[in-house]
Structure formats: structure tokens, C-alpha cells
Amino acid sequence: MDKEIFKNLEDYWQVASNIRDIYMSNGSIAVLLDFERVLDEVDIYAFKNWEIGELVAGPEIGKYLVTCTFMWPEKSMPDPRGARRLLPFDCKIEYKKMDIKIPIKITDPSDYQSGTKTANLITKKVWLVAITMPKSLMSDIRTGSIEMEDQDIDLEELDRSYDEDLDTEAVQNDEQAQDAQQSLQQPAAV
């Protein structure tokens, strides 16, 4: 997050421009969907305020990494415990607090900048959180497989295996319960 997010350091309109550019690019949308899928899979949205962040920069797509920067109001900082969930997957998280100028709500002519039709600006403090994620992680989550100790594991097959074991366990528990019920109903031998 060394380079500035906003062209003139505090330009609120740059956020809108970044978002417009993203929507104009199908490739960026696909990358963002994969990026968000990873955030969802690690349950980052279960932590306070993560769901209200706004994308302000990115995706910056490198050869091996993708970086997206999100913004929160100062009083709604995202819970850092959520970001920690990404660390075991070789993601890098950077926090930065900064000022941004945003337009005020126009209620009378004095709310305009003099000689323009542009609203006056007020300064607000915000949190910026840059998340850098390996492309390989995004690909693993997208395809439903993950490599563990040089073995490719199909997550769908793993889920089926768990389901089958649970079903087998449930049948065994039912049989044990029936056996116990029958032994209680039989008269005790004297």
C-alpha cells in the first residue's frame, strides 16, 4: 500500500472512477469474484464490519499475486481477527488510516463550492485494508481442490467421504440403539 490509493491523496471521486473501470473490464470482474470467493470460504464475513467494506482500488493483478484495497469508516474498522484467517494461506494484509474528503449533502446554495456546481467537501477518517492474495489460492478455491503435501485433493470427493462416514455412523448408532432397546425389553434372567 506504498502507492497512494487516490490520485490527489484524498479524492473521493477517484473511488467511483476505480469502480467504473472495474465494471468496464470482464477480466477484473472474474478476478474479483474469485477473490471474494476466497474471503467467503475462510469465513471472513463472520467477523465484525468485514461485510461493509468498499472496494477502492484493484484488483491489481500481478504474475502470482492479486491485491485489492478496501475502505471502512474510522469507527467501523474491520475486526483484525478476520484478516488473520487469511495468513495461513500466504496472504498479506496491510492496514492504513488516512483522511479522505467526501462531498456533503446539498441542502442550500452555500453547500456548493464557490463558482461551481460541486458540493463542498468535508474530511473524514477512514481505514484502508489492502489484501494481497496468491493467484494459486484463488484458483484452488475456484476449482474445488487444494494441494496438501504434494497431493491434489478434490474437495467435493472429500465432502462425499465425510457424508458417507456420517451416514455409516448414523446407521451403526441406530443399530446399537435398537439392540439396547431390545435388551431392556427382555426379562432379566434369574
Side-chain angles (χ1 to χ4, degrees):
M1 199 175 341
D2 291 336
K3 75 177 191 123
E4 290 299 326
I5 300 301
F6 308 109
K7 284 182 182 167
N8 100 2
L9 301 177
E10 308 162 329
D11 187 2
Y12 175 80
W13 301 112
Q14 185 61 39
V15 173
S17 176
N18 288 344
I19 301 301
R20 185 193 68 238
D21 292 346
I22 289 167
Y23 283 110
M24 299 301 283
S25 166
N26 288 337
S28 291
I29 292 290
V31 169
L32 278 175
L33 288 172
D34 290 341
F35 196 94
E36 193 279 331
R37 188 176 296 113
V38 172
L39 298 180
D40 191 36
E41 286 293 320
V42 299
D43 296 323
I44 201 169
Y45 298 118
F47 292 87
K48 188 174 182 181
N49 295 329
W50 277 97
E51 72 281 356
I52 63 171
E54 297 178 66
L55 178 70
V56 293
E60 295 170 20
I61 305 167
K63 188 171 184 178
Y64 301 107
L65 301 170
V66 174
T67 301
C68 290
T69 304
F70 301 90
M71 179 177 70
W72 284 264
E74 178 186 31
K75 293 185 184 201
S76 300
M77 177 186 176
D79 187 342
R81 293 177 299 169
R84 277 192 228 130
R85 298 197 59 130
L86 292 167
L87 296 178
F89 300 101
D90 297 325
C91 295
K92 182 179 175 187
I93 316 299
E94 295 178 69
Y95 288 84
K96 182 178 182 182
K97 193 177 197 180
M98 70 176 292
D99 292 333
I100 182 174
K101 292 189 179 191
I102 62 169
I104 63 170
K105 183 176 181 179
I106 296 174
T107 56
D108 62 61
S110 68
D111 292 336
Y112 289 102
Q113 292 179 9
S114 103
T116 69
K117 292 186 179 185
T118 306
N120 284 324
L121 301 174
I122 59 171
T123 301
K124 295 279 188 173
K125 292 201 175 293
V126 294
W127 282 102
L128 296 179
V129 179
I131 301 173
T132 302
M133 185 179 295
K135 281 184 173 179
S136 59
L137 175 62
M138 294 166 53
S139 176
D140 287 345
I141 297 292
R142 180 171 23 101
T143 59
S145 69
I146 192 162
E147 187 177 314
M148 296 178 71
E149 296 184 17
D150 299 327
Q151 292 181 333
D152 243 0
I153 298 173
D154 182 6
L155 296 179
E156 203 171 297
E157 184 178 317
L158 183 63
D159 288 341
R160 273 196 309 274
S161 297
Y162 279 124
D163 289 343
E164 288 170 10
D165 283 345
L166 291 175
D167 291 344
T168 303
E169 188 178 304
V171 168
Q172 289 173 349
N173 287 341
D174 286 346
E175 289 172 357
Q176 290 171 350
Q178 287 176 352
D179 290 345
Q181 184 67 27
Q182 286 176 355
S183 67
L184 288 174
Q185 290 176 351
Q186 294 176 355
V190 181

